[in-house]
Amino acid sequence: TEGDCMSTEEFYLYGHLLGVFLLLGAAGLSTGAGVAVGRVTHAKTVLTLCNMIRYSELFGTSAGAILSIVFGSLLISEAGYSFGDPWVSAAYALFVVVLGIDHGFLMPRNNKARAMAAALGDAPVSVDLVQHLTNPLTTAAGVLLDISFLVFLYLMIAKPGA
């Protein structure tokens, strides 16, 4: 019957939420591995954790970002909002900043750590690798990304200015 069918708006919402959950999962995995990687003493463990972060970001974050943007964009018009609404504009701007920090700053740092750990082979971590892994700027960027999820949550729930 007609009452059993999902509306277009619901379909877009579920697609958007699927993307959001992929992003949250990738963020959780990357954050956990990022915290752990600065505390390990063996280069092979660093390499494993950095690989986890890399694949989480490449697949989880990328797929989540695509789904969130595509279905979120479709949902805006379907739900009666406008791309000019302040909360929508803020969400898009924040999304660009977040992906820039993640893929433009954190991922290159992760790639460097992976290369440094791979070069050490079966040895303990070097002083240089420890300094690279525990860099306060890297930690701050990771915390900023995690806080951004709270801002996104606020924007999606409160819809300020709508």
Side-chain angles (χ1 to χ4, degrees):
T1 65
E2 270 189 54
D4 295 336
C5 292
M6 184 184 317
S7 72
T8 302
E9 184 177 342
E10 289 172 325
F11 179 75
Y12 293 163
L13 176 62
Y14 292 141
H16 180 65
L17 290 175
L18 174 62
V20 169
F21 285 122
L22 281 171
L23 285 169
L24 286 172
L29 181 61
S30 293
T31 299
V35 169
V37 77
R39 299 169 189 232
V40 298
T41 58
H42 202 268
K44 280 195 173 188
T45 307
V46 170
L47 184 58
T48 299
L49 289 170
C50 286
N51 282 332
M52 284 176 49
I53 293 168
R54 179 175 187 258
Y55 291 118
S56 170
E57 294 298 326
L58 285 177
F59 298 111
T61 298
S62 297
I66 290 167
L67 289 172
S68 294
I69 286 293
V70 168
F71 283 105
S73 296
L74 293 169
L75 185 59
I76 289 169
S77 296
E78 188 67 29
Y81 296 107
S82 166
F83 286 95
D85 288 343
W87 68 275
V88 174
S89 298
Y92 278 107
L94 182 60
F95 204 81
V96 169
V97 169
V98 163
L99 287 179
I101 292 170
D102 188 42
H103 283 53
F105 178 73
L106 290 174
M107 288 308 297
R109 292 199 54 81
N110 183 62
N111 288 337
K112 182 176 179 183
R114 287 176 52 243
M116 292 171 76
L120 291 171
D122 211 15
V125 295
S126 66
V127 172
D128 288 341
L129 180 55
V130 170
Q131 288 175 343
H132 180 77
L133 293 171
T134 59
N135 181 297
L137 191 56
T138 304
T139 302
V143 169
L144 181 63
L145 290 184
D146 289 339
I147 290 171
S148 72
F149 281 106
L150 297 175
V151 176
F152 279 122
L153 187 62
Y154 168 74
L155 291 171
M156 297 301 121
I157 292 172
K159 297 174 182 56

